[in-house]
Every structure is written in structure tokens, then in C-alpha cells.
């Protein structure tokens, strides 16, 4: 066996072998956002953020106020399946309580690794 360079190996029969690059990539991340509306009570939104996104009361209140003033806000970042599932569960939970609150998943800005 001889080593031609860093990428190729040559065995005794002259066969060249190249090591394959790793196939696994980091999964793309999705952020779960809540959208503002004029009807859902602030207290309901704060409690929902605490319950579904495991935020402290203080942090949940800050996120709710950001949504209220800016139109939307990020509650958490997950892989795609988890983000889509969480968004659907949260929207359904709000509907079950007769509130029009909308929750959606969107691709997070991928900063280079
Ligand atoms: N704008 C709502 C109100 O004034 C409060 C609210 C905040 C609603 C965040 C939705 O995602 C939301 N009662």
C-alpha cells in the first residue's frame, strides 16, 4: 500500500481508492413564530409561551410584547419536523380556546457553520 497524497490510497494491484467525504450534514433549523392579532388576550399568549416553549414568565412576557409591537416573534428554534408539529399544536390549542392566534414554522437564517 502506498499513500499518493491525502485523498488517495493505492493497493498492491495498483487500485486507487479515494475516501468518500462525510455524508451527514447538520439539519436545517426552523423557528417557530407567533403572529400578532387584535383579539387574543395578552395573558393567554404569555401562558402559552411558558407552557409550550418552556420560557420563564419574564421572558414569555418580553416575547409577547415584541409580537404585540412588531407583528411577530420567535418562540423557539427546532428541526423542521418538531417546528411544524409544535406550530400546529399551538395553533390548534388557541383555536380550542376560541382565540385566533396563529403560530407558524419558518426556516431560520442559516449562519455559516
Ligand atoms: N395584540 C394582542 C392584544 O392586544 C396581544 C397578542 C400578543 C396577540 C401576541 C397575539 O401573538 C400575539 N390583546
Amino acid at each position: 500500500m502506498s499513500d499518493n497524497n491525502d485523498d488517495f490510497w493505492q493497493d498492491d494491484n495498483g487500485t486507487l481508492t479515494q475516501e468518500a467525504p462525510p455524508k451527514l450534514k447538520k439539519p436545517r433549523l426552523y423557528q417557530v413564530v407567533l403572529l400578532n392579532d387584535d383579539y387574543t388576550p395578552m395573558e393567554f399568549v404569555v401562558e402559552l409561551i411558558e407552557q409550550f416553549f418552556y420560557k420563564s414568565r419574564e421572558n414569555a412576557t418580553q416575547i409577547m410584547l415584541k409580537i404585540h409591537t412588531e407583528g411577530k416573534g420567535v418562540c423557539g428554534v427546532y428541526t423542521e419536523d418538531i417546528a411544524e408539529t409544535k406550530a400546529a399544536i399551538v395553533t390548534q390549542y388557541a383555536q380550542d380556546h376560541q382565540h385566533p392566534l396563529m403560530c407558524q414554522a419558518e426556516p431560520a437564517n442559516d449562519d455559516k457553520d
Side-chain angles (χ1 to χ4, degrees):
M1 293 274 245
S2 69
D3 189 1
N4 289 344
N5 58 38
D6 282 347
D7 295 331
F8 291 93
W9 285 85
Q10 189 166 30
D11 67 15
D12 294 340
N13 301 319
T15 305
L16 278 176
T17 307
Q18 184 179 22
E19 191 173 327
K23 285 191 179 138
L24 289 179
K25 286 188 185 163
K26 285 190 190 164
R28 290 208 60 188
L29 294 179
Y30 283 68
Q31 54 195 26
V32 176
V33 299
L34 283 177
L35 305 182
N36 190 33
D37 65 69
D38 292 338
Y39 305 103
T40 307
M42 291 183 175
E43 179 62 17
F44 180 84
V45 179
V46 171
E47 284 176 3
L48 178 148
I49 295 170
E50 290 182 284
Q51 191 178 331
F52 288 95
F53 299 99
Y54 310 107
K55 304 295 188 192
S56 67
R57 184 86 187 165
E58 294 69 32
N59 195 192
T61 304
Q62 285 174 351
I63 295 169
M64 183 280 294
L65 287 173
K66 180 183 167 72
I67 302 164
H68 178 69
T69 54
E70 297 178 20
K72 73 176 184 179
V74 178
C75 294
V77 178
Y78 310 92
T79 53
E80 183 174 13
D81 285 359
I82 294 172
E84 294 288 0
T85 303
K86 221 171 233 294
I89 287 172
V90 167
T91 299
Q92 186 62 53
Y93 177 81
Q95 276 180 21
D96 291 347
H97 289 79
Q98 285 75 50
H99 298 307
L101 180 68
M102 288 293 300
C103 186
Q104 62 191 32
E106 57 184 42
N109 290 335
D110 43 347
D111 297 326
K112 281 294 157 213
D113 313 323

